[in-house]
Amino acid sequence: MFIGHFAVGFALKKTEPRLPLGIWLVAAMFLDILWPVFLLLGIEKVAIVPGITRVMPLDLINLDWSHSLAMAVLWAILFGAVVFAFVRSRNAFIFGALAVLSHWLLDYATHRADMPLAPHSARYGLELWNSLAGTLIVELGLFFLSVFIYTRGVTAHGKRGWLALVLFVVFWVVMYMMSVFGPPPPNNPTVIAISSLVLIPIVMPWANWVDGKIH
Ligand SMILES: [Zn+2]
């Protein structure tokens, strides 16, 4: 899943408004930030196999350390502890950790049976990626619903605030559509890892800037 994870960040932002939107998005994507790092380290393995699911050509051969449920719980607690250290708020810890953990559930719903419960354990997945319509409806639906939740009750600083948000939303919907309908990435873990890692320094400051214009 891609912008479906963003949805969790947008939806939870109000639970601790002192944490900027970019941090909420990083929380929701945290396992996918670890994943390319572990790919580069050679700890986890992926191959591009066109047709392996209807939507995504990813054969996730090993996801044990970034994406197993047991590790996700650990990453969630660590993430919650770090944001708690910054803002000293119980909500930051609880919802920060839940945002990280939500990633496992959403990936479990979308992936093939490649989501482990623990390293080297059995793997599960509900395979939403085998339905193009289902994937688009669920992921875009979650994303737009969460942006609506995020904007409820806030007053943007004039038209520029709303424009900043609309541009952010449109950009990531286009990126998402390209990931679904574009050509498969090269079957090279280093290229896959680097192309997903470069998104983070774009997403976080940009989301924080938009957040500053909206709240
Ligand atoms: Zn993931």
Side-chain angles (χ1 to χ4, degrees):
M1 195 168 260
F2 180 2
I3 56 173
H5 295 304
F6 282 28
V8 173
F10 271 104
L12 290 179
K13 154 76 192 183
K14 281 204 185 78
T15 61
E16 179 41 84
R18 282 179 295 161
L19 288 180
L21 179 63
I23 299 294
W24 286 107
L25 297 184
V26 164
M29 292 189 301
F30 195 63
L31 306 189
D32 280 354
I33 297 171
L34 296 172
W35 178 61
V37 175
F38 292 165
L39 281 180
L40 290 174
L41 292 173
I43 299 170
E44 299 193 344
K45 266 182 100 176
V46 65
I48 298 301
V49 180
I52 195 165
T53 72
R54 173 80 180 78
V55 177
M56 283 291 149
L58 295 173
D59 184 3
L60 296 154
I61 300 159
N62 183 330
L63 278 173
D64 285 353
W65 304 101
S66 63
H67 275 69
S68 67
L69 181 57
M71 290 305 295
V73 170
L74 187 71
W75 300 127
I77 292 169
L78 281 174
F79 191 94
V82 170
V83 287
F84 179 83
F86 278 97
V87 290
R88 299 269 154 200
S89 126
R90 199 176 54 175
N91 269 12
F93 176 79
I94 294 171
F95 291 103
L98 283 177
V100 175
L101 204 52
S102 74
H103 191 108
W104 193 91
L105 271 184
L106 290 175
D107 276 5
Y108 163 70
T110 40
H111 285 205
R112 301 163 62 231
D114 56 31
M115 293 293 290
L117 294 181
H120 312 304
S121 84
R123 310 198 304 160
Y124 301 89
L126 299 179
E127 299 195 11
L128 183 64
W129 274 343
N130 273 326
S131 162
L132 177 62
T135 299
L136 292 174
I137 290 167
V138 170
E139 197 150 6
L140 290 171
L142 283 175
F143 184 64
F144 285 117
L145 177 67
S146 72
V147 173
F148 173 72
I149 291 170
Y150 169 76
T151 55
R152 274 191 64 193
V154 303
T155 41
H157 303 319
K159 279 186 187 151
R160 284 193 183 170
W162 292 117
L163 185 62
L165 179 65
V166 168
L167 283 177
F168 185 88
V169 166
V170 169
F171 178 84
W172 289 107
V173 168
V174 169
M175 290 291 282
Y176 171 64
M177 288 302 193
M178 282 167 59
S179 78
V180 172
F181 294 105
N187 189 12
N188 179 331
T190 307
V191 174
I192 296 168
I194 289 172
S195 56
S196 61
L197 268 181
V198 294
L199 293 181
I200 307 308
I202 301 172
V203 175
M204 198 168 78
W206 187 9
N208 288 345
W209 180 77
V210 171
D211 204 28
K213 298 247 172 242
I214 291 285
H215 284 91

